């Protein structure tokens, strides 16, 4: 017996309004629809079974009819949009750029890695992976100020939460490099001042 694939058997998600788009896309609108449907369904259920004195039977029948009509409409909408809205993978604007940048970085091609990372960050400013690599490349090139700016921008993003330790490590490396360059530059500056 062949087991169904997760997406093919996931049509059951369509039975709850908003759930297919919430599950696949993380849509805020779908979340509002799913939660709103839950609240109305629970309120009607409680009004029908527990608090039967709250509303008249005629108004409860009308409310259940409206909710059933909404449910049928949402089911038809979800099933009609199933292939286009649920099964189609979400395209990434930076698909391919980051792996290329990583390959260039690992090969020591800093200029090319920087170019690809900048392109990825321009396409998606919230791309934490590309921004962290860009900061690392800039640090390796000795452009400490720019690297620190990108780390600050990354730390302010929600995508930066998963990189907190790496951001702290990069900041420490930048601070160490800045200290090294100032201690190396101090004797040269003293010699120039004495001359």
């Amino acid at each position: 017996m062949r087991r169904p694939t997760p997406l093919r058997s996931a049509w059951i998600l369509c039975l709850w309004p908003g759930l297919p788009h919430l599950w696949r896309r993380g849509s805020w609108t779908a979340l509002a629809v799913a939660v709103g449907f839950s609240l109305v369904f629970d309120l009607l259920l409680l009004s029908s079974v527990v608090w039967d004195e709250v509303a008249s039977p005629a108004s409860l029948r009308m409310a259940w009819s409206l909710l059933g009509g909404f449910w049928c409409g949402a089911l038809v909408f979800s099933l009609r949009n199933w292939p286009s809205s649920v099964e189609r993978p979400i395209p990434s604007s930076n698909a391919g750029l980051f792996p290329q940048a990583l390959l260039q970085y690992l090969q020591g091609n800093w200029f090319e890695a920087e170019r690809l990372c900048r392109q990825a960050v321009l396409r998606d400013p919230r791309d934490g992976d590309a921004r962290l690599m860009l900061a690392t490349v800039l640090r390796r090139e000795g452009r400490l100020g720019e690297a620190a700016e990108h780390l600050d921008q990354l730390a302010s993003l929600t995508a930066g939460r998963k990189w907190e330790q790496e951001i702290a490590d990069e900041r420490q490396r930048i601070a160490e490099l800045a200290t090294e360059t100032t201690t190396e530059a101090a004797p040269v500056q003293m010699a120039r001042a004495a001359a």
Side-chain angles (χ1 to χ4, degrees):
M1 185 169 131
R2 200 177 103 192
R3 294 181 66 195
T5 61
L7 283 178
R8 290 181 192 254
S9 62
W11 62 269
I12 200 159
L13 295 175
C14 293
L15 296 176
W16 197 267
L19 193 56
H21 299 289
L22 177 62
W23 186 271
R24 180 71 172 135
R25 301 226 182 250
S27 167
W28 287 104
T29 306
L31 176 66
V33 169
V35 169
F37 182 79
S38 298
L39 292 175
V40 171
F41 179 78
D42 291 344
L43 183 64
L44 280 175
L45 192 61
L46 285 172
S47 296
S48 298
V49 177
V50 179
W51 303 321
D52 54 354
E53 68 277 355
V54 172
S56 68
S59 61
L60 282 175
R61 276 192 300 276
M62 180 183 287
W64 277 112
S65 298
L66 289 173
L67 187 68
F70 176 78
W71 180 81
C72 288
L75 179 64
V76 168
F77 176 79
S78 294
L79 289 174
R80 290 182 109 196
N81 293 319
W82 177 259
S84 63
S85 66
V86 179
E87 287 184 355
R88 185 176 58 213
I90 301 169
S92 172
S93 61
N94 287 339
L97 282 179
F98 183 74
Q100 290 174 14
L102 181 60
L103 179 65
Q104 295 301 321
Y105 174 80
L106 293 174
Q107 292 176 351
N109 300 330
W110 310 131
F111 177 77
E112 190 62 24
E114 178 188 349
R115 184 186 70 77
L116 290 167
C117 286
R118 284 192 187 278
Q119 192 176 357
V121 168
L122 280 174
R123 283 187 185 175
D124 184 7
R126 297 169 293 145
D127 187 345
D129 301 343
R131 195 170 289 275
L132 178 63
M133 186 181 292
L134 179 59
T136 303
V137 169
L138 291 171
R139 174 188 51 83
R140 287 189 173 271
E141 292 176 339
R143 294 157 56 192
L144 305 180
E146 283 183 73
E149 287 175 18
H150 281 286
L151 289 176
D152 291 341
Q153 290 173 355
L154 177 59
S156 69
L157 297 173
T158 55
R161 289 185 192 148
K162 72 176 184 177
W163 297 114
E164 288 177 353
Q165 184 60 47
E166 287 78 7
I167 292 170
D169 292 344
E170 278 297 317
R171 284 187 173 154
Q172 182 178 355
R173 289 183 190 115
I174 290 172
E176 289 170 0
L177 284 172
T179 305
E180 286 176 14
T181 55
T182 55
T183 56
E184 290 173 4
V188 174
Q189 291 174 353
M190 282 192 231
R192 286 185 186 162

